[in-house]
Amino acid sequence: MTPLSLSVEGLTKSFGGLSVIRDLSFTVPAGSATALIGPNGAGKSTAFNLITGVYRPDAGRIRLGGKDITGTPSRRRIGLGIARNFQNIRLMPHLSVLENLLVGQHVRAGGLIDLLTPYRLLPKHRWRAEALAALAECGLERHAAERVQGLPYGIRKRIDVVRATLSRPGLLLLDEPAAGLNPTETQALHRHLDMLRARGMTLLIVEHDMHFVGRTCGHVVVLNFGEKIAEGSLAEVQRDPLVREAYLGGMAA
Amino acid sequence: MTAYQTGLLVILALNVLGAFAVYLPLSAGQLNLGIAGFMAVGAYAAAWLGNEQGWGATAAIAAGGGAAALVACAVAVPILRTHGIYLALATFALGQVITAVFLNLEPVGAAAGYPVTEHIGPAAVLLTTLGVAALVLLLSCTRFALCLTAIRSDAVVADLMGMPVRALKVAAFTLGAAIAGLSGGLYALHYNYVEAQHFGVMLSTYTVLYVLLGGTRSVWGPILGAAFFTLIPELLRASAGWRYAIFALLVILFMAWRPAGLLTGGLRLPWRRRAAEETP
Ligand SMILES: Nc1ncnc2c1ncn2[C@@H]1O[C@H](COP(=O)(O)OP(=O)(O)OP(=O)(O)O)[C@@H](O)[C@H]1O
Ligand SMILES: [Mg+2]
């Protein structure tokens, strides 16, 4: 996979009268790990929804690896190299972990032959082997056959991230991947993200945990009320008075 | 086997086919309440092709499935724009319209019914059903089935994963209708008589109940549901007039006991579990 850059220019979105994203512009260089931070309700998840095409922007452009994808239907964006997880873990609860991962592969396995191969009868099938290998890399392989429904939160959260990587994206959007993880799981997530970057994935991460951001992301974009209020290294934005004000001292330390 | 038992098996086979026809689109989240309409299309198409065009039984029945699939494909685009209860209503109305058309269609006997010359025995009905069941079971092991489940579970995520949600829904709806048409064709040529009234609301409702009662999350659900609904009323025959009351009571108790249907998980076959453990 080749890392892809992302740039948004003048992105604007409102819901009814509520203006949620206002004239937002930022760039995520190819191969970088960039953080998108901001207080609750700042519009971070909405920005992800615009980038992945869940919502249409009212104005502005989105470019992936220099290619304008503003008008590209949501379904085709994953094929161009964007994948994402979900803040509220949108796995298919009645399916097994393995089957959820097969769903994540769909864009590479959507041909008629792949669609009609009875993979459930072929335990050694390559798509299964690949999904199991991805699980094993994260030390989660023992959950492969379990139904997602009964799994603990932290494990579901990590599987949602694994599923997002299975399309082999050049740009991975992660919405609060560390939220609700215990320290051991957080360490494992760090190792996973390092591995993804080494393989050539650009990361854009929404995260509230500043230690997590400091450890992984060299560049930080700060959002407040849908507007970019600061940009730079974590240390730089933490010094920024606008940012301190936005967080009301919440991250001043 | 007595003639009574054979007759019961044929009814069971036709009911299983109907249940599959409802199950396929339902596994993608679409409730088709007009399935009897598609059965009617299959039955009348097969009967007419046999009677008027001299088609053999096999070709006529296959064409019955094809005709129902064509109708489904034609209406799928507008009908699948609706969701949830509105989709159920739209399909219900469609089923009524189709039945009403046949009820007034003179070339196929209109309200008087339509005698069918070609005949197939019970073996043909049972073998066809076994064949279709094998295909549906095989299909349930593919990514196509996985996609339908994903769409039912979360259509937004399915779309973001690159699945052509609309096309897959149309495919499931059409495939279901094809099976309904096939069952209609078998019905027509086995009983040698078609009347529009048979393909009414009750038939659609019962067929949907087989699936809801059997379970919508596994392909074994419709089979079990159809078996339960076909065989239990027969077992209750001794209680004469009370049998439908007892049966309805059983259904209610059953729903209270297993609100998501008889089979909630995928049916775990012992050899499959072993296979899953072998893989690294
Ligand atoms: N579909 C929608 N319709 C109406 N309002 C919405 C919609 N989606 C988001 N909003 C509103 O937009 C604002 C930003 O929401 P968003 O989820 O993007 O925030 P966030 O930065 O991700 O917050 P958090 O850190 O809590 O996840 C909120 O006020 C939210 O209520
Ligand atoms: Mg959010």
Side-chain angles (χ1 to χ4, degrees):
Chain A
M1 55 198 120
T2 2
L4 289 170
S5 66
L6 170 78
S7 75
V8 303
E9 291 152 35
L11 217 54
T12 300
K13 178 72 186 173
S14 45
F15 294 108
L18 182 70
S19 164
V20 174
I21 297 286
R22 303 178 215 189
D23 196 21
L24 176 64
S25 304
F26 64 87
T27 297
V28 180
S32 74
T34 301
L36 183 63
I37 68 171
N40 290 117
K44 307 178 295 291
S45 297
T46 304
F48 273 21
N49 283 333
L50 291 169
I51 294 165
T52 52
V54 177
Y55 302 138
R56 304 255 125 197
D58 300 334
R61 314 239 52 102
I62 303 162
R63 266 180 253 280
L64 179 72
K67 184 179 187 291
D68 192 327
I69 59 160
T70 319
T72 307
S74 50
R75 161 165 101 78
R76 302 214 177 271
R77 296 191 190 192
I78 190 166
L80 299 177
I82 302 188
R84 67 175 290 182
N85 76 336
F86 298 88
Q87 185 175 350
N88 51 350
I89 316 183
R90 291 170 77 162
L91 293 168
M92 320 292 176
H94 299 288
L95 294 181
S96 71
V97 169
L98 188 82
E99 284 169 320
N100 270 279
L101 298 185
L102 293 175
V103 167
Q105 294 167 333
H106 177 84
V107 70
R108 297 188 294 125
L112 207 56
I113 291 179
D114 277 308
L115 270 184
L116 296 179
T117 304
Y119 72 91
R120 293 178 73 176
L121 303 176
L122 310 168
K124 303 249 186 276
H125 197 267
R126 69 189 169 102
W127 290 116
R128 293 171 76 117
E130 190 199 89
L132 285 169
L135 265 186
E137 280 177 356
C138 302
L140 295 169
E141 68 275 23
R142 68 180 175 285
H143 301 296
E146 288 173 48
R147 254 213 254 187
V148 162
Q149 204 163 33
L151 291 173
Y153 184 84
I155 292 175
R156 279 187 285 138
K157 192 100 206 179
R158 299 211 42 221
I159 287 162
D160 197 21
V161 175
V162 177
R163 178 176 71 174
T165 65
L166 283 173
S167 64
R168 302 253 168 96
L171 169 70
L172 181 61
L173 309 182
L174 296 176
D175 200 343
E176 306 199 9
L181 298 193
N182 65 35
T184 320
E185 289 169 333
T186 309
Q187 282 313 310
L189 178 63
H190 274 306
R191 282 196 301 277
H192 187 202
L193 297 188
D194 290 345
M195 196 170 68
L196 296 178
R197 277 192 75 190
R199 275 185 207 160
M201 247 182 237
T202 310
L203 302 180
L204 177 61
I205 305 177
V206 166
E207 190 47 69
H208 285 291
D209 177 352
M210 288 308 131
H211 291 291
F212 190 94
V213 169
R215 160 86 164 68
T216 306
C217 304
H219 192 73
V220 178
V221 175
V222 190
L223 224 57
N224 194 25
F225 292 116
E227 277 175 323
K228 184 172 80 181
I229 56 169
E231 192 171 359
S233 71
L234 181 63
E236 279 164 12
V237 302
Q238 275 179 322
R239 278 198 300 272
D240 193 300
L242 271 176
V243 175
R244 286 166 164 264
E245 195 187 309
Y247 277 89
L248 289 169
M251 57 172 270
Chain B
M1 207 181 288
T2 64
Y4 167 74
Q5 284 166 336
T6 314
L8 198 57
L9 263 183
V10 167
I11 295 174
L12 174 62
L14 294 175
N15 288 349
V16 166
L17 287 180
F20 281 148
V22 170
Y23 169 77
L24 273 172
L26 195 59
S27 67
Q30 309 152 259
L31 182 57
N32 186 343
L33 267 183
I35 203 68
F38 295 101
M39 294 176 183
V41 171
Y44 277 101
W48 184 81
L49 287 169
N51 283 0
E52 318 290 335
Q53 305 296 316
W55 287 33
T58 312
I61 292 167
L70 275 181
V71 172
C73 210
V75 297
V77 175
I79 260 200
L80 295 181
R81 274 181 194 287
T82 57
H83 296 279
I85 192 75
Y86 295 100
L87 173 65
L89 269 178
T91 51
F92 176 83
L94 178 70
Q96 292 300 98
V97 168
I98 293 175
T99 313
V101 167
F102 285 120
L103 201 55
N104 293 291
L105 209 59
E106 288 299 341
V108 289
Y114 191 48
V116 183
T117 46
E118 282 288 326
H119 177 72
I120 53 167
V125 178
L126 298 179
L127 283 177
T128 313
T129 304
L130 281 179
V132 171
L135 279 179
V136 172
L137 286 169
L138 203 60
L139 199 64
S140 75
C141 294
T142 64
R143 268 182 185 276
F144 176 71
L146 183 66
C147 288
L148 299 186
T149 315
I151 290 170
R152 173 180 173 182
S153 180
D154 192 331
V156 172
V157 171
D159 170 82
L160 287 174
M161 293 295 165
M163 293 178 185
V165 173
R166 174 73 63 82
L168 286 165
K169 281 181 169 179
V170 171
F173 188 74
T174 305
L175 213 54
I179 295 176
L182 215 54
S183 87
L186 292 170
Y187 173 93
L189 271 66
H190 178 68
Y191 296 110
N192 293 102
Y193 188 71
V194 204
E195 57 176 349
Q197 294 90 328
H198 170 73
F199 302 97
V201 181
M202 280 313 277
L203 184 59
S204 286
T205 312
Y206 268 84
T207 311
V208 166
L209 276 182
Y210 304 152
V211 183
L212 295 185
L213 213 68
T216 60
R217 297 216 178 273
S218 150
V219 69
W220 297 96
I223 299 178
L224 267 157
F228 177 89
F229 256 81
T230 312
L231 302 178
I232 296 292
E234 294 305 319
L235 296 179
L236 293 174
R237 214 172 254 285
S239 54
W242 285 101
R243 96 176 146 127
Y244 286 105
I246 297 172
F247 180 58
L249 199 66
L250 274 177
V251 169
I252 292 168
L253 289 174
F254 192 90
M255 287 303 225
W257 171 54
R258 305 228 76 174
L262 193 58
L263 278 176
T264 44
L267 194 71
R268 284 204 170 260
L269 307 170
W271 50 269
R272 191 189 297 152
R273 191 177 304 155
R274 208 179 330 115
E277 279 163 8
E278 272 167 20
T279 43

